[in-house]
C-alpha cells in the first residue's frame, strides 16, 4: 500500500526514496536505517511502477 516517503540512511543502499510499504527494495531497509522523507533522492523505480 502507499505510505509516506521513506529512504535508507545507509550509504551502501540505492539513492532512491520509496512510497510503497510493499516495495521489495524498501522492505529490505532495516527499521534502524529507515528515515522518513525523500532525502532529496529520486523515486524508486519499483515504487513508480506500483503507481
Ligand atoms: Zn521502492
Amino acid at each position: 500500500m502507499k505510505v509516506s516517503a521513506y529512504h535508507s540512511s545507509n550509504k551502501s543502499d540505492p539513492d532512491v526514496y520509496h512510497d510503497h510499504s510493499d516495495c521489495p527494495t524498501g522492505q529490505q531497509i532495516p527499521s534502524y536505517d529507515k528515515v522518513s522523507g525523500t532525502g532529496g533522492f529520486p523515486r524508486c523505480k519499483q515504487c513508480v511502477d506500483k503507481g
Side-chain angles (χ1 to χ4, degrees):
M1 73 181 217
K2 193 126 190 229
V3 296
S4 44
Y6 64 96
H7 64 281
S8 173
S9 62
N10 190 327
K11 296 273 182 274
S12 66
D13 281 340
D15 288 341
V16 294
Y17 79 87
H18 310 275
D19 56 7
H20 281 272
S21 61
D22 55 340
C23 172
T25 308
Q27 282 180 334
Q28 287 176 25
I29 303 173
S31 56
Y32 54 80
D33 272 341
K34 207 182 254 190
V35 184
S36 62
T38 67
F41 298 136
R43 197 169 163 216
C44 160
K45 194 168 186 312
Q46 286 162 304
C47 288
V48 171
D49 289 345
K50 285 177 181 297

